[in-house]
Amino acid sequence: MKIPSTIAAFILVVIIFISCTISNNSLINISNFNDSIRQKHVPDKRVAIYEVAIENANNTLILSGETNQPSVLNILLKKLSNETIDFKNEVTILPNSSVGNLKFGVINNSVANIRSNSKHSAELVTQSILGTELNVLKAEGDFYLIQTPDSYIGWVDHGGLTLMDEQEYSNWKTAKKIIFTNTVGTIFQDKDFSIVLSDVVLGAQLKVLDELQNSYKVEFPDKRVGFVEKDASKMYVDWIQALEPSAELIENYARSLLGTPYLWGGTSSKGLDCSGFVKTIYLMNGFVIPRDASQQILAGKTVDENLKFEGLKKGDLMFFGTKATATKKQRVTHVGIWLGNDKMEFIHESQRVKLNSMNRTSENYEQSLEERYLGSKRYLGVQDSLIIDLKLVNESIKL
């Protein structure tokens, strides 16, 4: 039987309508897929941004939000294209237009506070020291969303950094610099060291303009000029080339910070948290390592698998927290550095940088830490993408 043309046209319209309609199930499936790629490719919000939302508007999926991971977003876009789903991509790629061509920055103060949100009352999540190079992702009021060399993301106020375009940033990276090697100190306005320009902390870097008999004439990222004593600093290229990371050097720098007060989010010799302490010690041994203890445990080589303090070497990282159960994952909350010796000592930041022991007969024995011990990782002599070797970085810059 021949179907009337009007009915055939109606059926065709219905088919087209159904094929173009995005069902709730389809929306749920795409949303689940979006969640799965976020969990797989961007599992840690501290070091990457993937905030992509999906909603259905008149049978067109609207993608909104922001990310600094365009390759991950492309996985979602490819999925939608392959399934011939109508969509509109409104996701902002970071860095965004709010920073223009000033997509880089360098920390301009002795220590800059980096917060969880774009306001001074927000939680202090980490710090960066003078001369640290940053990627700038966006601006909001007087704050900038930045990413540090260890990939940590947070907000720094405008007084904490100097913004740079690509050429200025390249010039800064390749300029001759000094590294400050004392625990704390001063940069002066004059070569006679009579007028203070700024304080300075261990590991800070500044551009060198001239070398004098007793000092280096240096330039801040914002072009301020000062003088730093030679006895408290070294030419960076000489320092990094001569540097031989070792267990002894780790111990020496760690002990030099004994008594330094605890500061949540602190990463400088003015104040430290437990992982900031470890990070600072490894920086002075030529490595940029992950920021937080829960990230640090993912790097390096596992040692002492039986949790008996056996096979540990000086410089190994010891992790503490809540052990896994049948219903809960392991939770890392603390980290220290194993020193060993006959006292089974380790050094860590807890209230202040101090020594404790795993020897139950020692006066420094800490039972609660032994009960919370999760295991150890070795960084020295281990190649790991999460452990950045500054010697190799220096060679690549020279090339």
Side-chain angles (χ1 to χ4, degrees), residues 217-268:
K217 184 178 182 181
V218 295
E219 183 179 273
F220 282 68
D222 65 358
K223 305 300 184 183
R224 284 177 293 160
V225 174
F227 296 84
V228 60
E229 294 169 284
K230 277 188 174 179
D231 290 345
S233 56
K234 294 180 180 178
M235 290 294 294
Y236 179 83
V237 65
D238 295 336
W239 174 79
I240 194 66
Q241 287 178 356
L243 185 63
E244 294 293 340
S246 68
E248 288 68 31
L249 190 60
I250 285 175
E251 180 173 12
N252 290 343
Y253 273 114
R255 287 184 179 274
S256 75
L257 293 176
L258 280 168
T260 303
Y262 183 90
L263 174 65
W264 176 270
T267 64
S268 85

Side-chain angles (χ1 to χ4, degrees), residues 105-110 128-134 172 177 204-206 221:
V106 180
I107 294 297
N108 200 52
N109 292 338
S110 62
S128 284
I129 60 176
L130 180 63
T132 302
E133 298 158 358
L134 312 166
W172 172 270
K177 300 186 188 72
Q205 294 184 41
L206 285 168

Side-chain angles (χ1 to χ4, degrees), residues 308-336:
K308 299 293 185 181
F309 311 110
E310 297 173 347
L312 290 173
K313 293 182 179 179
K314 184 186 298 184
D316 290 344
L317 303 193
M318 306 174 69
F319 296 93
F320 307 87
T322 304
K323 296 182 180 181
T325 67
T327 57
K328 292 184 179 179
K329 294 181 179 180
Q330 172 179 281
R331 184 167 179 260
V332 180
T333 58
H334 190 60
V335 62

Side-chain angles (χ1 to χ4, degrees), residues 101-313:
N101 64 342
L102 302 177
K103 298 178 181 180
F104 307 95
V106 180
I107 294 297
N108 200 52
N109 292 338
S110 62
V111 184
N113 294 327
I114 300 174
R115 302 189 179 276
S116 62
N117 214 326
S118 55
K119 53 185 180 181
H120 288 288
S121 59
E123 176 190 12
L124 178 67
V125 293
T126 191
Q127 295 177 319
S128 284
I129 60 176
L130 180 63
T132 302
E133 298 158 358
L134 312 166
N135 291 323
V136 181
L137 302 178
K138 68 176 180 178
E140 193 171 288
D142 289 335
F143 280 77
Y144 294 92
L145 186 66
I146 57 86
Q147 189 164 34
T148 63
D150 55 19
S151 297
Y152 220 82
I153 294 173
W155 294 89
V156 62
D157 74 89
H158 66 101
L161 81 167
T162 294
L163 298 173
M164 297 182 179
D165 61 25
E166 189 170 0
Q167 185 58 57
E168 291 169 329
Y169 185 64
S170 176
N171 292 343
W172 172 270
K173 286 179 72 70
T174 56
K176 291 183 178 179
K177 300 186 188 72
I178 60 99
I179 182 169
F180 193 77
T181 52
N182 279 8
T183 305
V184 292
T186 304
I187 298 173
F188 297 90
Q189 292 187 35
D190 61 314
K191 61 184 178 180
D192 296 323
F193 310 139
S194 62
I195 306 173
V196 173
L197 177 63
S198 172
D199 63 330
V200 62
V201 297
L202 180 68
Q205 294 184 41
L206 285 168
K207 181 179 177 180
V208 176
L209 298 179
D210 196 10
E211 181 176 354
L212 308 179
Q213 182 176 356
N214 298 317
S215 66
Y216 293 108
K217 184 178 182 181
V218 295
E219 183 179 273
F220 282 68
D222 65 358
K223 305 300 184 183
R224 284 177 293 160
V225 174
F227 296 84
V228 60
E229 294 169 284
K230 277 188 174 179
D231 290 345
S233 56
K234 294 180 180 178
M235 290 294 294
Y236 179 83
V237 65
D238 295 336
W239 174 79
I240 194 66
Q241 287 178 356
L243 185 63
E244 294 293 340
S246 68
E248 288 68 31
L249 190 60
I250 285 175
E251 180 173 12
N252 290 343
Y253 273 114
R255 287 184 179 274
S256 75
L257 293 176
L258 280 168
T260 303
Y262 183 90
L263 174 65
W264 176 270
T267 64
S268 85
S269 49
K270 288 183 174 183
L272 300 152
D273 61 21
C274 63
S275 55
F277 167 65
V278 169
K279 177 178 171 59
T280 298
I281 300 310
Y282 269 84
L283 175 65
M284 298 311 295
N285 274 263
F287 300 102
V288 174
I289 67 172
R291 170 62 183 91
D292 291 343
S294 60
Q295 299 168 318
Q296 291 170 355
I297 198 172
L298 302 177
K301 175 185 176 182
T302 299
V303 291
D304 191 26
E305 293 183 6
N306 296 323
L307 308 184
K308 299 293 185 181
F309 311 110
E310 297 173 347
L312 290 173
K313 293 182 179 179

